[in-house]
């Protein structure tokens, strides 16, 4: 697998959470999704930087939504996967499945 | 007036939205760190959303703390990202930069980027440096914000320098600062010419009963008509008092504080001119004052605090029953405004002259009386000034140590960059250009450290104020204001230049335009003797300063410990204090007042878990009234020798509830009431001073205070001594003991009262029940304020505790920083001598001997620092002596123990690098060449 297509574990989590959140995929929602599904706390800084990085790689695209009063009049950054992003997630899944294949017995 | 705390009553424009806004400064700083556009917009919005959700569930402080943490983490993360993701070409550009061809700003931004990249490449060094700076600058910023608000800023009145406070002194009976009586005040006011005006104020309490609002008991301030004009504060609505208002038979009038006006009357401007019910009487509201601090007054302590935003009222002093027309009733505070151009000393001379005249005119009451004048600013803040100055000095020393550490770290870095400097010099960089580059680096470090310090200070200020458990003057004005920000910036720049200059000077030295022979290899790194002395000199200074700080801190801690060891003369643990004022309008007969007290006590005693309950006017740590008395059957003393004593009305069971022992005779019983013979219990000091040779029990004292309060013939004037109790420290636990006598509360009751309840379990748990038991005695009496005696006791040592804890923290920081500094220098020196060590080991040196050599050299440097530090401490801990209690400023034990501890820490710091050096494999070392 080429290095530039390699997805880190956290990057994968973020991408999957974005898919799960669907139309509602923005910072807080993505964080909640990861925390709820994995039981792990997520640092905001890590999440935002990862989003920026994924966007730079062309895996996601973001747009600004309408500002809401609970956010002090600030807009939400809605995220969705690009075709390249979907491809990268799929490849990552396949790579992992290939690695998993046939070793269930070895783990006991 | 920038701190939001100061005006909780003020309406926020935009209604509830302001309520939910996160800490503004944190948001602003984060905004600066975030890249503009989509990221900034969405990240700030997400944080707002999280903050709003937290505000729904948590206290404001907790949510604010969460927000500040998030803002800090995100700010660091994004700033770091920006530095680290910058393309690497800046290195080349900066290295090739010529001082001639470049535009100054391009050079600067190139330097900055280069500095950021070099710092980012050594994260451990950078984090240690920034952490050290953040602590040093943050600590100084936090302490400065207190100093600025309390000591530096002028009081919020026009020409505040002209305001002075006047107290009575008496050389005969040792009053160095006491309250004044109403008639002396009149004489001062009428006779003085240096004052534009002199005003009087006294404490009190009022009871608001309006049919449509819940009843409320509030502080009332009794004032002369000129109180507001002397301060120079006009009302926001209506008028202030006139001399016509200040008469016993004038129509009742009142002025409201801003907080009371907004909270109770909804800021209704139509209220002025209408009447409200105060103590049962229809009283006209004539004005409302602005939301400023005002001097208000508790009747007993000789201190004039400013009160911020309390809900209270002012009324003309002559409109109410009090003792302003007596020369014996020292319960009033007095302040005045000097004429323009008059100095305090001139007025003091005039007032002392007036006091001498009064002595001659009224020998029976005024013999020995003088006047003490203080500027109002000193009066308000004088109590904390010494502690704040010591703390500023201490935190400044911590910064000094931090600077020495950082300078050392930068020196080492400069030495390791010889190769780089050589290349740049060869490529044509001038010395000035190199110095500029080095300084940019240290300034960048200090800039980041300063911002981190500012964030620490923002969190720290609230902690500091919370740590001060007593009454901190001008507490509401403390905050991160413009002057604090300026101080923080100034400090960051100064530190940046100071720590950067030495390394820049040393590092940029390139005598020869061609690189020195060893510059590009690891060889030739043996340091010159001079450079070693620069570094060692920094360590010496650091250790010396640390000794001074640690000694100061340990003295304060020992003093505080001594203070806690003092036997206050009573047992504060497990005692509840219920404080209330019974409305005089409801109980204007003393017998009715007594039956209320009895009923409330009976209710309290019926509660499970209550051991003893008693009534009384004041708790033991309060300084009560001073009254004159005579011993019956003795020749009348000359007026100047009239005995004086503290006067404390207490009910039966008080001594048991408070844990005060009755040494002789008896305490009060239920039979000591009005109609029965007057009885009095005296303390040991009174017995010692006035009955040194004979038995006080059975003798009689005459005094008039209780009768003066009630003007009733069935209250006794002569009182039989029935018991002697042990002394109680009245003025807080570090104060002197004065003679005191106790009279039965039932024989001299008063509307201000307290119930003291000793319980078997946790006093807090019973507070609500006790409060309810008092309400049950008469629901029309406003509910009592509950405190624990232990809490009051802690407050009385709050200032000392504050100074001791902070100095301990600063001392700890100094110790840590000094140890880091010693470790850094020794390990660097040891690393520099790797070759020498390798050769020595190869020639058969024993590792143990090598360790001894290195540790010995390190300790030699430390020893010089210790000696200098002890000399410095001997000279400077004297400054602490005013703050110390029960310990000498040159306490010999501490002067041995503290340097010894520091030496031990230093030895440990030397030992690790020494051991590492002695374990070298000689072959590896020599092969590296």
């Amino acid at each position: 697998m080429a290095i530039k297509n390699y997805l880190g574990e956290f990057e994968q989590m973020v991408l999957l959470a974005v898919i799960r959140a669907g139309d509602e995929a923005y910072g807080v929602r993505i964080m909640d999704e990861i925390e709820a599904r994995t039981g792990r706390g997520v640092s905001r800084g890590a999440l935002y930087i990862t989003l920026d990085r994924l966007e730079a790689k062309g895996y996601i695209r973001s747009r600004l939504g309408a500002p809401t009063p609970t956010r002090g009049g600030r807009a939400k950054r809605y995220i969705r996967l690009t075709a390249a992003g979907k491809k990268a997630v799929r490849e990552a899944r396949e790579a992992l499945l290939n690695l998993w294949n046939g070793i269930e017995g070895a783990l006991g | 007036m920038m701190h939001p705390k100061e005006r909780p009553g003020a309406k926020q424009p935009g209604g509830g939205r302001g309520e939910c806004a996160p800490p503004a400064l944190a948001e602003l700083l984060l905004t600066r760190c975030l890249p503009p556009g989509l990221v900034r917009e969405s990240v700030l919005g997400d944080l707002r959303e999280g903050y709003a959700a937290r505000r729904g569930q948590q206290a404001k402080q907790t949510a604010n703390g969460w927000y500040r943490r998030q803002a800090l983490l995100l700010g660091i993360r994004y700033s770091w990202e920006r530095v680290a993701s910058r393309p690497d070409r800046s290195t080349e550009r900066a290295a090739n930069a010529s001082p001639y061809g470049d535009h100054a700003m391009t050079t600067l931004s190139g330097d900055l980027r280069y500095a950021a990249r070099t710092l980012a490449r050594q994260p451990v060094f950078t984090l240690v440096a920034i952490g050290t700076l953040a602590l040093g600058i943050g600590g100084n910023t936090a302490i400065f914000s207190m100093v600025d608000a309390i000591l530096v800023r002028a009081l919020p009145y026009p020409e505040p320098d002209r305001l002075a406070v006047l107290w009575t002194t008496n050389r005969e009976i040792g009053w160095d600062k006491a309250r004044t009586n109403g008639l002396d005040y009149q004489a001062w006011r009428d006779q003085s010419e240096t004052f534009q005006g002199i005003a009087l104020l006294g404490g009190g309490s009022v009871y608001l009963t309006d049919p449509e609002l819940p009843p409320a008991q509030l502080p009332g301030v009794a004032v002369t008509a000129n109180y507001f004009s002397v301060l120079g504060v006009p009302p926001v609505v209506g008028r202030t008092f006139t001399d016509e208002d200040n008469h016993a038979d004038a129509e009742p009038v009142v002025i409201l504080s801003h907080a009371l006006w907004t909270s109770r009357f909804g800021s209704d401007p139509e209220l002025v001119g209408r009447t409200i019910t105060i103590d049962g009487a229809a009283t006209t509201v004539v004005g409302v004052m602005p939301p400023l601090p005002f001097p208000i007054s508790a009747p007993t302590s000789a201190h004039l605090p400013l009160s911020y935003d309390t809900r209270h009222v002012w009324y003309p002093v002559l409109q109410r029953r009090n003792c302003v027309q007596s020369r014996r009733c020292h319960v009033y505070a007095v302040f005045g405004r000097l004429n323009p151009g008059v100095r305090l000393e001139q007025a003091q001379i005039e007032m002392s002259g007036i006091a001498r005249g009064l002595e001659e005119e009224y020998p029976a009451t005024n013999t020995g009386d003088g006047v003490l004048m203080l500027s109002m600013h000193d009066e308000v803040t004088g109590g904390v000034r010494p502690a704040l100055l010591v703390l500023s000095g201490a935190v400044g020393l911590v910064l000094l140590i931090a600077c020495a550490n950082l300078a050392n770290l930068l020196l080492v870095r400069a030495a390791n960059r010889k190769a780089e400097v050589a290349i740049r010099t060869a490529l044509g960089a001038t010395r000035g250009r190199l110095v500029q580059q080095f300084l940019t680096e240290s300034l960048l470090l200090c800039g980041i450290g300063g911002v981190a310090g500012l964030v620490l200070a923002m969190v720290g200020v609230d902690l500091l104020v919370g740590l001060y458990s007593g009454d901190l003057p001008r507490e509401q004005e403390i905050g991160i204001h413009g002057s604090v920000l300026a101080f923080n910036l100034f400090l960051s720049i100064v530190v940046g230049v100071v720590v950067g200059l030495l390394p820049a000077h040393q590092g940029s030295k390139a005598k020869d335009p061609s690189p020195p022979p060893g510059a590009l290899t690891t060889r030739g790194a043996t340091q010159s003797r001079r450079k070693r002395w620069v570094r060692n000199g920094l360590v010496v200074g650091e250790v010396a300063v640390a000794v001074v700080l640690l000694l100061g801190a340990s003295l304060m801690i020992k003093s505080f410990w001594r203070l806690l060891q003092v036997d206050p003369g009573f047992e504060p643990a497990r005692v509840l204090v219920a404080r209330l004022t019974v409305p005089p309008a409801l109980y204007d007969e003393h017998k009715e007042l007594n039956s209320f007290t009895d009923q409330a006590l009976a209710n309290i005693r019926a509660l499970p878990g209550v051991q003893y309950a008693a009534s009384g006017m004041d708790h033991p740590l309060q300084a009560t009234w001073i009254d004159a008395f005579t011993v019956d059957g003795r020749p009348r003393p000359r007026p100047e020798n009239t005995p004086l004593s503290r006067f404390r009305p207490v009910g039966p069971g008080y001594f048991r509830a408070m844990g005060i022992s009755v040494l002789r005779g008896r305490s009060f019983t239920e039979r000591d009431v009005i109609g029965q013979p007057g009885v009095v219990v005296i303390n040991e000091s009174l017995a010692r001073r006035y009955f040194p040779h004979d038995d006080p029990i059975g003798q009689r004292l005459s005094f008039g205070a209780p009768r003066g309060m009630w003007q009733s013939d069935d209250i006794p004037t002569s009182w039989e001594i029935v018991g002697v109790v042990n002394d109680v420290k009245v003025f807080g636990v570090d104060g002197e003991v004065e003679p005191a006598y106790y009279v039965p509360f039932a024989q001299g009751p008063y509307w201000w009262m307290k119930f003291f309840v000793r319980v078997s379990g946790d006093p807090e748990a019973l507070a609500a029940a006790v409060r309810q038991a008092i309400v049950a005695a008469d629901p029309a009496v406003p509910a009592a304020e509950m405190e624990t005696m232990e809490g009051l006791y802690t407050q009385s040592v709050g200032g000392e505790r504050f100074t001791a804890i902070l100095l301990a923290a600063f001392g700890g920081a100094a110790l840590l920083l000094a140890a880091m500094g010693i470790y850094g220098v020794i390990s660097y020196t040891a690393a520099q001598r790797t070759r020498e060590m390798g050769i020595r080991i190869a020639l058969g040196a024993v590792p143990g001997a090598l360790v001894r050599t290195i540790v010995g050299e390190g300790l030699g440097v430390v020893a010089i620092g210790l000696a200098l530090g002890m000399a410095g401490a001997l000279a400077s801990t004297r400054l602490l002596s005013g703050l110390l209690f029960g310990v000498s400023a040159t306490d010999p034990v501490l002067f041995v123990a503290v340097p010894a501890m520091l030496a031990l820490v230093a030895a440990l710091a030397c030992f690790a690098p020494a051991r590492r050096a002695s374990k070298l494999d000689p072959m590896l070392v020599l092969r590296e060449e």
Side-chain angles (χ1 to χ4, degrees), chain A residues 26-28 43-46 48-49 52-53 62-64 70-77, chain B residues 17 27 38-39 41-50 52 54 66 70 74 77-78 81:
Chain A
Y26 73 101
V28 175
S43 126
R44 269 166 204 273
Y48 295 137
I49 299 290
D52 292 348
R53 208 168 278 159
S62 45
R63 67 176 172 86
L64 276 185
T70 49
R71 297 167 59 85
R74 302 274 185 186
K76 289 177 184 170
R77 174 189 184 184
Chain B
R17 233 187 89 183
E27 193 173 37
L38 181 130
V39 168
E41 180 78 9
S42 61
V43 170
L44 288 176
D46 283 0
L47 266 192
R48 276 264 185 155
E49 197 178 322
R54 267 164 189 82
W66 174 85
Q70 294 291 336
L74 282 170
R77 187 82 199 232
Y78 271 97
E81 201 65 19

